[in-house]
Amino acid sequence: PIIHGFTKSSLTIILGIVLLFQITVIGKLFNSKISIIYGLFVATEPYLIGIDRWFHVTSLEVSLAFLSLLLLMLWYKFGFKKYLILSSVILSLAVLSKITPIIFLPFFISLIIYKRRIFSLVSLKEGLIYIAVFAFVVLLVFPAIWVAPLYVFNKLFTAAFTATAGVSRLTGFGTFYYLVILCFKLSPITLFLFIFFLPKLIKRLKSSDVVIAITYLLVYLVFLSLASQKIDRYVISVIYPLLLLTSVYVAELKIKKLLVVCFGIIIFTLWLAKTYYPVYSAYYSPIFCGSSKALEIAIYDNSGAYFAQAAEYLNAKGRDIDVFIPDNMDSFSPFFGGRFSKWYSPEADYIVKSQDFDRKISGDELCPIVDKTFG
């Protein structure tokens, strides 16, 4: 638990620093009002709060990739080479966190070339600078490539195409899976505002800032939707650009309406803390009937939510107990001080079970007595 707490704290501090950089860049791209509203949305968006506290690299890769895009947009707008180089550095760090953001390298190079509307030696040079800086940082921070390049590239290829094989959340929604997940995982306020401002968004497609952000969102969404494996947490890659686009239009509201939005966010955040604390990643939108509806349509996913709390609760029962833990052993075991096994034994004193998209609980013949529930 101490190591877990330290790593989680380290990750959230780094993500906090990345968010501050995002807010700063957005302030230069648009204005300080939009950047503050964006910061408020990110800081209160329930699923982002939850995933940011996982000991996992999904948030890190997504946050860094989006910061890289913002820096490239800043270069696109003002032309300062430092932003181009910084964007390349940050994208390389995103790819080193997890290989998925590599899909944006061709998109970013296309943006660099398209900036001048025609192919020229200048645009070619800028594109080559971007690729060279990217490659240099990857080589510098990932010395395994120096030692065994063929082995590393083979492992990267395997990770990119087969790492999530057999880990599918694909139900009856097919390519619409992530759109459904987005509806269930977004704050009702964010979802309403985005839909409300969608007509204005379409009208502003001539603005390069809006077009680039929308293209980024669509590239991620199409890539995820067409992939055969579906894992719900990957939807946060779409949430960041969506929050930025929403912030652009919320900033145009008159002060009274803006205060209503801010008050609504505060009330919703208080409800969120009361309902889901401390595992915000378990959030499902109340306007779609929350977890119960997610279970009904087979998209509810328990990736370890509340197992630590169950372990801490059982610790209070004393160490001389046996616990049967059929699922999510990795989420439970670091926090429990007694005896436990993922294999059932008649000697077991307690069973810890969870619901999931493929694991519904209607009753249990092994133990019909419910002692405590979480979440």
Side-chain angles (χ1 to χ4, degrees):
I2 294 170
I3 295 171
H4 179 263
F6 178 77
T7 52
K8 186 166 65 172
S9 300
S10 302
L11 183 61
T12 51
I13 289 167
I14 291 167
L15 289 168
I17 293 168
V18 173
L19 175 59
L20 288 175
F21 274 111
Q22 288 180 358
I23 291 169
T24 302
V25 174
I26 290 168
K28 292 179 180 179
L29 264 175
F30 299 97
N31 57 57
S32 57
K33 189 177 181 182
I34 291 173
S35 68
I36 291 168
I37 292 169
Y38 170 81
L40 177 65
F41 277 132
V42 174
T44 56
E45 191 61 36
Y47 199 46
L48 288 185
I49 296 171
I51 298 299
D52 283 357
R53 281 150 182 75
W54 278 25
F55 184 36
H56 202 288
V57 292
T58 300
S59 277
L60 191 59
E61 56 139 336
V62 169
S63 299
L64 288 170
F66 191 57
L67 176 58
S68 176
L69 173 79
L70 293 171
L71 286 164
L72 191 63
M73 288 169 66
L74 207 55
W75 169 80
Y76 199 90
K77 189 170 185 177
F78 298 109
F80 297 128
K81 195 173 288 184
K82 64 180 180 181
Y83 297 134
L84 183 72
I85 293 170
L86 272 173
S87 172
S88 183
V89 170
I90 298 299
L91 183 64
S92 64
L93 295 177
V95 171
L96 286 164
S97 301
K98 194 174 180 183
I99 200 168
T100 312
I102 195 73
I103 63 171
F104 288 110
L105 190 57
F107 170 51
F108 287 2
I109 297 300
S110 300
L111 277 178
I112 292 166
I113 293 171
Y114 182 74
K115 183 177 187 290
R116 302 180 191 283
R117 302 297 188 271
I118 57 169
F119 183 79
S120 65
L121 287 176
V122 175
S123 61
L124 178 63
K125 181 184 174 182
E126 288 166 339
L128 289 174
I129 288 172
Y130 198 91
I131 294 170
V133 171
F134 175 87
F136 174 75
V137 174
V138 169
L139 286 169
L140 183 67
V141 185
F142 195 15
I145 294 177
W146 316 343
V147 182
L150 291 177
Y151 171 79
V152 169
F153 283 120
N154 180 57
K155 295 291 282 184
L156 289 174
F157 179 85
T158 304
F161 293 100
T162 63
T164 56
V167 189
S168 179
R169 305 299 189 262
L170 185 59
T171 55
F173 297 104
T175 53
F176 297 103
Y177 174 82
Y178 283 105
L179 289 175
V180 175
I181 291 295
L182 200 58
C183 291
F184 271 85
K185 288 299 189 180
L186 276 177
S187 146
I189 296 169
T190 304
L191 185 61
F192 170 78
L193 289 171
F194 181 73
I195 293 171
F196 182 79
F197 289 119
L198 204 53
K200 282 191 175 184
L201 190 66
I202 294 168
K203 287 180 182 178
R204 278 185 62 172
L205 286 179
K206 290 183 180 179
S207 167
S208 62
D209 293 337
V210 171
V211 170
I212 292 171
I214 290 174
T215 306
Y216 177 90
L217 187 155
L218 291 175
V219 168
Y220 241 136
L221 187 60
V222 170
F223 176 79
L224 293 173
S225 298
L226 293 180
S228 58
Q229 286 81 36
K230 312 291 185 192
I231 299 178
D232 58 353
R233 69 174 177 271
Y234 294 169
V235 80
I236 69 167
S237 56
V238 179
I239 293 177
Y240 281 96
L242 188 148
L243 292 180
L244 174 60
L245 292 167
T246 304
S247 301
V248 169
Y249 295 101
V250 170
E252 295 178 358
L253 293 174
K254 292 181 179 179
I255 188 67
K256 286 185 179 179
K257 291 182 179 178
L258 187 57
L259 288 173
V260 169
V261 170
C262 292
F263 181 72
I265 289 172
I266 292 168
I267 295 298
F268 175 74
T269 304
L270 291 172
W271 170 85
L272 178 73
K274 181 179 180 296
T275 308
Y276 288 97
Y277 176 84
V279 191
Y280 298 107
S281 58
Y283 165 82
Y284 285 87
S285 178
I287 62 171
F288 294 104
C289 303
S291 303
S292 59
K293 193 65 178 180
L295 270 168
E296 184 183 326
I297 62 176
I299 62 166
Y300 182 86
D301 184 16
N302 187 314
S303 299
Y306 299 104
F307 277 88
Q309 286 68 41
E312 288 164 356
Y313 171 77
L314 287 172
N315 283 335
K317 303 282 186 180
R319 294 201 175 202
D320 193 27
I321 60 171
D322 292 282
V323 176
F324 171 42
I325 172 81
D327 307 297
N328 294 90
M329 173 73 81
D330 291 341
S331 301
F332 179 84
S333 57
F335 300 94
F336 184 57
R339 298 182 298 271
F340 58 89
S341 173
K342 66 177 180 178
W343 310 110
Y344 174 69
S345 165
E347 304 300 317
D349 299 295
Y350 293 91
I351 300 173
V352 179
K353 296 195 73 175
S354 66
Q355 299 184 101
D356 209 338
F357 70 100
D358 61 351
R359 192 169 63 239
K360 296 182 181 179
I361 299 175
S362 56
D364 198 319
E365 66 280 2
L366 297 175
C367 182
I369 303 165
V370 178
D371 185 78
K372 178 75 173 177
T373 60
F374 297 89

PDB file of all heavy atoms in Angstrom, residues 1-30:
ATOM      1  N   PRO A   1       0.803  -1.222   0.000  1.00  0.00           N
ATOM      2  CA  PRO A   1       0.000   0.000   0.000  1.00  0.00           C
ATOM      3  C   PRO A   1       0.841   1.280   0.000  1.00  0.00           C
ATOM      4  O   PRO A   1       0.466   2.267  -0.611  1.00  0.00           O
ATOM      5  CB  PRO A   1      -0.827  -0.120   1.283  1.00  0.00           C
ATOM      6  CG  PRO A   1      -0.913  -1.579   1.531  1.00  0.00           C
ATOM      7  CD  PRO A   1       0.385  -2.153   1.062  1.00  0.00           C
ATOM      8  N   ILE A   2       1.993   1.248   0.674  1.00  0.00           N
ATOM      9  CA  ILE A   2       2.869   2.430   0.707  1.00  0.00           C
ATOM     10  C   ILE A   2       3.448   2.688  -0.684  1.00  0.00           C
ATOM     11  O   ILE A   2       3.449   3.826  -1.177  1.00  0.00           O
ATOM     12  CB  ILE A   2       3.999   2.245   1.747  1.00  0.00           C
ATOM     13  CG1 ILE A   2       3.400   2.203   3.161  1.00  0.00           C
ATOM     14  CG2 ILE A   2       5.021   3.382   1.640  1.00  0.00           C
ATOM     15  CD1 ILE A   2       4.384   1.793   4.229  1.00  0.00           C
ATOM     16  N   ILE A   3       3.939   1.628  -1.315  1.00  0.00           N
ATOM     17  CA  ILE A   3       4.491   1.761  -2.670  1.00  0.00           C
ATOM     18  C   ILE A   3       3.403   2.210  -3.644  1.00  0.00           C
ATOM     19  O   ILE A   3       3.619   3.083  -4.488  1.00  0.00           O
ATOM     20  CB  ILE A   3       5.118   0.422  -3.128  1.00  0.00           C
ATOM     21  CG1 ILE A   3       6.323   0.078  -2.265  1.00  0.00           C
ATOM     22  CG2 ILE A   3       5.528   0.496  -4.611  1.00  0.00           C
ATOM     23  CD1 ILE A   3       6.872  -1.323  -2.502  1.00  0.00           C
ATOM     24  N   HIS A   4       2.225   1.612  -3.509  1.00  0.00           N
ATOM     25  CA  HIS A   4       1.100   1.977  -4.381  1.00  0.00           C
ATOM     26  C   HIS A   4       0.737   3.450  -4.188  1.00  0.00           C
ATOM     27  O   HIS A   4       0.510   4.181  -5.160  1.00  0.00           O
ATOM     28  CB  HIS A   4      -0.109   1.091  -4.062  1.00  0.00           C
ATOM     29  CG  HIS A   4      -1.314   1.401  -4.883  1.00  0.00           C
ATOM     30  ND1 HIS A   4      -2.326   2.218  -4.423  1.00  0.00           N
ATOM     31  CD2 HIS A   4      -1.672   1.023  -6.126  1.00  0.00           C
ATOM     32  CE1 HIS A   4      -3.250   2.328  -5.361  1.00  0.00           C
ATOM     33  NE2 HIS A   4      -2.880   1.611  -6.401  1.00  0.00           N
ATOM     34  N   GLY A   5       0.691   3.886  -2.928  1.00  0.00           N
ATOM     35  CA  GLY A   5       0.378   5.286  -2.649  1.00  0.00           C
ATOM     36  C   GLY A   5       1.411   6.236  -3.220  1.00  0.00           C
ATOM     37  O   GLY A   5       1.075   7.294  -3.756  1.00  0.00           O
ATOM     38  N   PHE A   6       2.691   5.836  -3.128  1.00  0.00           N
ATOM     39  CA  PHE A   6       3.767   6.676  -3.653  1.00  0.00           C
ATOM     40  C   PHE A   6       3.686   6.779  -5.179  1.00  0.00           C
ATOM     41  O   PHE A   6       3.805   7.876  -5.740  1.00  0.00           O
ATOM     42  CB  PHE A   6       5.127   6.100  -3.239  1.00  0.00           C
ATOM     43  CG  PHE A   6       6.292   6.890  -3.776  1.00  0.00           C
ATOM     44  CD1 PHE A   6       6.669   8.092  -3.192  1.00  0.00           C
ATOM     45  CD2 PHE A   6       7.001   6.436  -4.884  1.00  0.00           C
ATOM     46  CE1 PHE A   6       7.734   8.826  -3.695  1.00  0.00           C
ATOM     47  CE2 PHE A   6       8.059   7.169  -5.399  1.00  0.00           C
ATOM     48  CZ  PHE A   6       8.429   8.367  -4.793  1.00  0.00           C
ATOM     49  N   THR A   7       3.496   5.644  -5.844  1.00  0.00           N
ATOM     50  CA  THR A   7       3.435   5.661  -7.312  1.00  0.00           C
ATOM     51  C   THR A   7       2.214   6.427  -7.800  1.00  0.00           C
ATOM     52  O   THR A   7       2.291   7.185  -8.777  1.00  0.00           O
ATOM     53  CB  THR A   7       3.396   4.223  -7.884  1.00  0.00           C
ATOM     54  OG1 THR A   7       2.347   3.490  -7.244  1.00  0.00           O
ATOM     55  CG2 THR A   7       4.712   3.501  -7.646  1.00  0.00           C
ATOM     56  N   LYS A   8       1.094   6.242  -7.116  1.00  0.00           N
ATOM     57  CA  LYS A   8      -0.134   6.953  -7.486  1.00  0.00           C
ATOM     58  C   LYS A   8       0.040   8.456  -7.306  1.00  0.00           C
ATOM     59  O   LYS A   8      -0.358   9.245  -8.168  1.00  0.00           O
ATOM     60  CB  LYS A   8      -1.309   6.433  -6.641  1.00  0.00           C
ATOM     61  CG  LYS A   8      -2.664   6.987  -7.040  1.00  0.00           C
ATOM     62  CD  LYS A   8      -3.796   6.200  -6.419  1.00  0.00           C
ATOM     63  CE  LYS A   8      -3.840   6.293  -4.928  1.00  0.00           C
ATOM     64  NZ  LYS A   8      -5.059   5.674  -4.365  1.00  0.00           N
ATOM     65  N   SER A   9       0.668   8.852  -6.194  1.00  0.00           N
ATOM     66  CA  SER A   9       0.918  10.271  -5.947  1.00  0.00           C
ATOM     67  C   SER A   9       1.861  10.853  -6.994  1.00  0.00           C
ATOM     68  O   SER A   9       1.645  11.963  -7.493  1.00  0.00           O
ATOM     69  CB  SER A   9       1.521  10.463  -4.552  1.00  0.00           C
ATOM     70  OG  SER A   9       0.642   9.981  -3.564  1.00  0.00           O
ATOM     71  N   SER A  10       2.908  10.094  -7.330  1.00  0.00           N
ATOM     72  CA  SER A  10       3.864  10.555  -8.346  1.00  0.00           C
ATOM     73  C   SER A  10       3.161  10.773  -9.681  1.00  0.00           C
ATOM     74  O   SER A  10       3.386  11.777 -10.361  1.00  0.00           O
ATOM     75  CB  SER A  10       4.992   9.529  -8.516  1.00  0.00           C
ATOM     76  OG  SER A  10       5.656   9.307  -7.305  1.00  0.00           O
ATOM     77  N   LEU A  11       2.308   9.820 -10.037  1.00  0.00           N
ATOM     78  CA  LEU A  11       1.600   9.907 -11.315  1.00  0.00           C
ATOM     79  C   LEU A  11       0.658  11.109 -11.350  1.00  0.00           C
ATOM     80  O   LEU A  11       0.630  11.866 -12.326  1.00  0.00           O
ATOM     81  CB  LEU A  11       0.807   8.619 -11.562  1.00  0.00           C
ATOM     82  CG  LEU A  11       0.068   8.513 -12.895  1.00  0.00           C
ATOM     83  CD1 LEU A  11       1.032   8.589 -14.065  1.00  0.00           C
ATOM     84  CD2 LEU A  11      -0.737   7.229 -12.971  1.00  0.00           C
ATOM     85  N   THR A  12      -0.091  11.321 -10.270  1.00  0.00           N
ATOM     86  CA  THR A  12      -1.045  12.441 -10.249  1.00  0.00           C
ATOM     87  C   THR A  12      -0.317  13.792 -10.229  1.00  0.00           C
ATOM     88  O   THR A  12      -0.803  14.759 -10.808  1.00  0.00           O
ATOM     89  CB  THR A  12      -2.004  12.342  -9.044  1.00  0.00           C
ATOM     90  OG1 THR A  12      -1.248  12.162  -7.843  1.00  0.00           O
ATOM     91  CG2 THR A  12      -2.965  11.180  -9.189  1.00  0.00           C
ATOM     92  N   ILE A  13       0.851  13.852  -9.596  1.00  0.00           N
ATOM     93  CA  ILE A  13       1.641  15.100  -9.605  1.00  0.00           C
ATOM     94  C   ILE A  13       2.121  15.405 -11.026  1.00  0.00           C
ATOM     95  O   ILE A  13       2.018  16.538 -11.506  1.00  0.00           O
ATOM     96  CB  ILE A  13       2.838  15.001  -8.632  1.00  0.00           C
ATOM     97  CG1 ILE A  13       2.332  15.040  -7.176  1.00  0.00           C
ATOM     98  CG2 ILE A  13       3.832  16.133  -8.872  1.00  0.00           C
ATOM     99  CD1 ILE A  13       3.375  14.649  -6.149  1.00  0.00           C
ATOM    100  N   ILE A  14       2.626  14.383 -11.713  1.00  0.00           N
ATOM    101  CA  ILE A  14       3.091  14.566 -13.102  1.00  0.00           C
ATOM    102  C   ILE A  14       1.931  14.987 -14.002  1.00  0.00           C
ATOM    103  O   ILE A  14       2.055  15.911 -14.810  1.00  0.00           O
ATOM    104  CB  ILE A  14       3.743  13.272 -13.625  1.00  0.00           C
ATOM    105  CG1 ILE A  14       5.063  13.016 -12.894  1.00  0.00           C
ATOM    106  CG2 ILE A  14       4.001  13.364 -15.138  1.00  0.00           C
ATOM    107  CD1 ILE A  14       5.627  11.624 -13.110  1.00  0.00           C
ATOM    108  N   LEU A  15       0.790  14.329 -13.845  1.00  0.00           N
ATOM    109  CA  LEU A  15      -0.390  14.685 -14.642  1.00  0.00           C
ATOM    110  C   LEU A  15      -0.863  16.102 -14.327  1.00  0.00           C
ATOM    111  O   LEU A  15      -1.338  16.815 -15.213  1.00  0.00           O
ATOM    112  CB  LEU A  15      -1.511  13.675 -14.393  1.00  0.00           C
ATOM    113  CG  LEU A  15      -1.284  12.276 -14.983  1.00  0.00           C
ATOM    114  CD1 LEU A  15      -2.300  11.292 -14.418  1.00  0.00           C
ATOM    115  CD2 LEU A  15      -1.352  12.300 -16.498  1.00  0.00           C
ATOM    116  N   GLY A  16      -0.734  16.505 -13.062  1.00  0.00           N
ATOM    117  CA  GLY A  16      -1.080  17.870 -12.679  1.00  0.00           C
ATOM    118  C   GLY A  16      -0.181  18.893 -13.364  1.00  0.00           C
ATOM    119  O   GLY A  16      -0.650  19.932 -13.840  1.00  0.00           O
ATOM    120  N   ILE A  17       1.120  18.575 -13.444  1.00  0.00           N
ATOM    121  CA  ILE A  17       2.070  19.458 -14.132  1.00  0.00           C
ATOM    122  C   ILE A  17       1.742  19.540 -15.618  1.00  0.00           C
ATOM    123  O   ILE A  17       1.752  20.624 -16.219  1.00  0.00           O
ATOM    124  CB  ILE A  17       3.519  18.963 -13.918  1.00  0.00           C
ATOM    125  CG1 ILE A  17       3.904  19.118 -12.442  1.00  0.00           C
ATOM    126  CG2 ILE A  17       4.500  19.727 -14.811  1.00  0.00           C
ATOM    127  CD1 ILE A  17       5.191  18.406 -12.061  1.00  0.00           C
ATOM    128  N   VAL A  18       1.428  18.385 -16.233  1.00  0.00           N
ATOM    129  CA  VAL A  18       1.052  18.355 -17.658  1.00  0.00           C
ATOM    130  C   VAL A  18      -0.199  19.193 -17.889  1.00  0.00           C
ATOM    131  O   VAL A  18      -0.287  19.942 -18.868  1.00  0.00           O
ATOM    132  CB  VAL A  18       0.834  16.898 -18.141  1.00  0.00           C
ATOM    133  CG1 VAL A  18       0.281  16.881 -19.574  1.00  0.00           C
ATOM    134  CG2 VAL A  18       2.134  16.113 -18.095  1.00  0.00           C
ATOM    135  N   LEU A  19      -1.176  19.104 -16.962  1.00  0.00           N
ATOM    136  CA  LEU A  19      -2.405  19.895 -17.080  1.00  0.00           C
ATOM    137  C   LEU A  19      -2.102  21.394 -17.017  1.00  0.00           C
ATOM    138  O   LEU A  19      -2.670  22.184 -17.778  1.00  0.00           O
ATOM    139  CB  LEU A  19      -3.401  19.509 -15.986  1.00  0.00           C
ATOM    140  CG  LEU A  19      -4.697  20.336 -15.919  1.00  0.00           C
ATOM    141  CD1 LEU A  19      -5.477  20.260 -17.231  1.00  0.00           C
ATOM    142  CD2 LEU A  19      -5.578  19.875 -14.754  1.00  0.00           C
ATOM    143  N   LEU A  20      -1.197  21.797 -16.129  1.00  0.00           N
ATOM    144  CA  LEU A  20      -0.819  23.210 -16.033  1.00  0.00           C
ATOM    145  C   LEU A  20      -0.194  23.701 -17.340  1.00  0.00           C
ATOM    146  O   LEU A  20      -0.453  24.819 -17.789  1.00  0.00           O
ATOM    147  CB  LEU A  20       0.159  23.424 -14.872  1.00  0.00           C
ATOM    148  CG  LEU A  20      -0.440  23.320 -13.459  1.00  0.00           C
ATOM    149  CD1 LEU A  20       0.658  23.423 -12.401  1.00  0.00           C
ATOM    150  CD2 LEU A  20      -1.486  24.412 -13.235  1.00  0.00           C
ATOM    151  N   PHE A  21       0.632  22.849 -17.954  1.00  0.00           N
ATOM    152  CA  PHE A  21       1.212  23.193 -19.257  1.00  0.00           C
ATOM    153  C   PHE A  21       0.112  23.317 -20.314  1.00  0.00           C
ATOM    154  O   PHE A  21       0.128  24.229 -21.143  1.00  0.00           O
ATOM    155  CB  PHE A  21       2.237  22.141 -19.687  1.00  0.00           C
ATOM    156  CG  PHE A  21       3.620  22.397 -19.154  1.00  0.00           C
ATOM    157  CD1 PHE A  21       4.176  21.574 -18.190  1.00  0.00           C
ATOM    158  CD2 PHE A  21       4.369  23.465 -19.623  1.00  0.00           C
ATOM    159  CE1 PHE A  21       5.450  21.799 -17.690  1.00  0.00           C
ATOM    160  CE2 PHE A  21       5.653  23.709 -19.130  1.00  0.00           C
ATOM    161  CZ  PHE A  21       6.194  22.876 -18.165  1.00  0.00           C
ATOM    162  N   GLN A  22      -0.855  22.376 -20.289  1.00  0.00           N
ATOM    163  CA  GLN A  22      -1.976  22.443 -21.236  1.00  0.00           C
ATOM    164  C   GLN A  22      -2.735  23.763 -21.082  1.00  0.00           C
ATOM    165  O   GLN A  22      -3.061  24.426 -22.075  1.00  0.00           O
ATOM    166  CB  GLN A  22      -2.929  21.266 -21.009  1.00  0.00           C
ATOM    167  CG  GLN A  22      -2.399  19.919 -21.461  1.00  0.00           C
ATOM    168  CD  GLN A  22      -3.389  18.793 -21.199  1.00  0.00           C
ATOM    169  OE1 GLN A  22      -4.469  19.011 -20.644  1.00  0.00           O
ATOM    170  NE2 GLN A  22      -3.040  17.585 -21.590  1.00  0.00           N
ATOM    171  N   ILE A  23      -3.034  24.126 -19.836  1.00  0.00           N
ATOM    172  CA  ILE A  23      -3.775  25.368 -19.559  1.00  0.00           C
ATOM    173  C   ILE A  23      -2.996  26.583 -20.063  1.00  0.00           C
ATOM    174  O   ILE A  23      -3.571  27.504 -20.656  1.00  0.00           O
ATOM    175  CB  ILE A  23      -4.067  25.487 -18.043  1.00  0.00           C
ATOM    176  CG1 ILE A  23      -5.102  24.426 -17.618  1.00  0.00           C
ATOM    177  CG2 ILE A  23      -4.562  26.879 -17.680  1.00  0.00           C
ATOM    178  CD1 ILE A  23      -5.259  24.278 -16.118  1.00  0.00           C
ATOM    179  N   THR A  24      -1.682  26.578 -19.844  1.00  0.00           N
ATOM    180  CA  THR A  24      -0.837  27.689 -20.301  1.00  0.00           C
ATOM    181  C   THR A  24      -0.862  27.818 -21.821  1.00  0.00           C
ATOM    182  O   THR A  24      -1.018  28.924 -22.367  1.00  0.00           O
ATOM    183  CB  THR A  24       0.618  27.477 -19.823  1.00  0.00           C
ATOM    184  OG1 THR A  24       0.629  27.367 -18.400  1.00  0.00           O
ATOM    185  CG2 THR A  24       1.499  28.642 -20.245  1.00  0.00           C
ATOM    186  N   VAL A  25      -0.722  26.677 -22.507  1.00  0.00           N
ATOM    187  CA  VAL A  25      -0.702  26.689 -23.975  1.00  0.00           C
ATOM    188  C   VAL A  25      -2.065  27.107 -24.530  1.00  0.00           C
ATOM    189  O   VAL A  25      -2.140  27.892 -25.484  1.00  0.00           O
ATOM    190  CB  VAL A  25      -0.292  25.299 -24.523  1.00  0.00           C
ATOM    191  CG1 VAL A  25      -0.412  25.270 -26.043  1.00  0.00           C
ATOM    192  CG2 VAL A  25       1.139  24.967 -24.112  1.00  0.00           C
ATOM    193  N   ILE A  26      -3.146  26.614 -23.925  1.00  0.00           N
ATOM    194  CA  ILE A  26      -4.499  26.986 -24.369  1.00  0.00           C
ATOM    195  C   ILE A  26      -4.730  28.485 -24.182  1.00  0.00           C
ATOM    196  O   ILE A  26      -5.375  29.137 -25.006  1.00  0.00           O
ATOM    197  CB  ILE A  26      -5.570  26.154 -23.618  1.00  0.00           C
ATOM    198  CG1 ILE A  26      -5.518  24.696 -24.092  1.00  0.00           C
ATOM    199  CG2 ILE A  26      -6.975  26.715 -23.853  1.00  0.00           C
ATOM    200  CD1 ILE A  26      -6.316  23.730 -23.243  1.00  0.00           C
ATOM    201  N   GLY A  27      -4.189  29.028 -23.098  1.00  0.00           N
ATOM    202  CA  GLY A  27      -4.285  30.470 -22.867  1.00  0.00           C
ATOM    203  C   GLY A  27      -3.634  31.268 -23.985  1.00  0.00           C
ATOM    204  O   GLY A  27      -4.137  32.311 -24.398  1.00  0.00           O
ATOM    205  N   LYS A  28      -2.509  30.773 -24.509  1.00  0.00           N
ATOM    206  CA  LYS A  28      -1.822  31.446 -25.617  1.00  0.00           C
ATOM    207  C   LYS A  28      -2.542  31.211 -26.946  1.00  0.00           C
ATOM    208  O   LYS A  28      -2.573  32.086 -27.811  1.00  0.00           O
ATOM    209  CB  LYS A  28      -0.378  30.949 -25.718  1.00  0.00           C
ATOM    210  CG  LYS A  28       0.495  31.376 -24.549  1.00  0.00           C
ATOM    211  CD  LYS A  28       1.905  30.829 -24.683  1.00  0.00           C
ATOM    212  CE  LYS A  28       2.775  31.272 -23.512  1.00  0.00           C
ATOM    213  NZ  LYS A  28       4.151  30.724 -23.608  1.00  0.00           N
ATOM    214  N   LEU A  29      -3.122  30.028 -27.083  1.00  0.00           N
ATOM    215  CA  LEU A  29      -3.834  29.689 -28.323  1.00  0.00           C
ATOM    216  C   LEU A  29      -5.140  30.461 -28.447  1.00  0.00           C
ATOM    217  O   LEU A  29      -5.482  30.968 -29.522  1.00  0.00           O
ATOM    218  CB  LEU A  29      -4.145  28.189 -28.345  1.00  0.00           C
ATOM    219  CG  LEU A  29      -3.209  27.248 -29.081  1.00  0.00           C
ATOM    220  CD1 LEU A  29      -3.649  25.813 -28.857  1.00  0.00           C
ATOM    221  CD2 LEU A  29      -3.123  27.563 -30.559  1.00  0.00           C
ATOM    222  N   PHE A  30      -5.880  30.534 -27.349  1.00  0.00           N
ATOM    223  CA  PHE A  30      -7.195  31.180 -27.350  1.00  0.00           C
ATOM    224  C   PHE A  30      -7.155  32.408 -26.440  1.00  0.00           C
ATOM    225  O   PHE A  30      -6.800  33.481 -26.850  1.00  0.00           O
ATOM    226  CB  PHE A  30      -8.269  30.186 -26.915  1.00  0.00           C
ATOM    227  CG  PHE A  30      -8.392  28.986 -27.816  1.00  0.00           C
ATOM    228  CD1 PHE A  30      -7.751  27.789 -27.506  1.00  0.00           C
ATOM    229  CD2 PHE A  30      -9.143  29.046 -28.985  1.00  0.00           C
ATOM    230  CE1 PHE A  30      -7.864  26.686 -28.339  1.00  0.00           C
ATOM    231  CE2 PHE A  30      -9.272  27.951 -29.823  1.00  0.00           C
ATOM    232  CZ  PHE A  30      -8.626  26.762 -29.503  1.00  0.00           C
TER     233      PHE A  30
END
